[in-house]
Amino acid sequence: MQSGSGKTERWRIDFDILPGGSRWENPLMGYASSADYMQAVRMTFRSSEDAAHFAGKQGWDYYIQPTAAKRIPPKNYSENFVYKPHKLRIMRTK
């Protein structure tokens, strides 16, 4: 699988689910439903400052989650055949 990095440099506002948000399950289809319409709202911003400014202007309490460092492990096909001591490479089933 290859995961692209498109649209990953954006900041997003997600709303917490209210504890008494009147959640129920649809008896016919089994879907989860809720009376809290804000749980489905997701807004994106270009920077954390834009998101914080918008949330502050609305009077909302907000928390900015720090970004995780991107780490791309080196991968190449020849690593599959390198000898590594104490590691079983061939699994026998019979």
Side-chain angles (χ1 to χ4, degrees), residues 37-88:
Y37 64 91
M38 291 302 281
Q39 72 178 4
V41 176
R42 180 179 289 167
M43 295 182 280
T44 58
F45 298 91
R46 292 180 188 223
S47 68
S48 64
E49 291 83 18
D50 291 343
H53 177 70
F54 180 79
K57 216 163 72 169
Q58 298 296 323
W60 298 336
D61 294 331
Y62 60 89
Y63 166 74
I64 297 177
Q65 186 174 357
T67 57
K70 292 182 182 178
R71 185 183 158 276
I72 301 173
K75 293 181 182 179
N76 54 10
Y77 184 68
S78 63
E79 284 291 320
N80 294 335
F81 303 102
V82 172
Y83 173 74
K84 295 176 183 146
H86 307 294
K87 183 174 180 184
L88 181 63

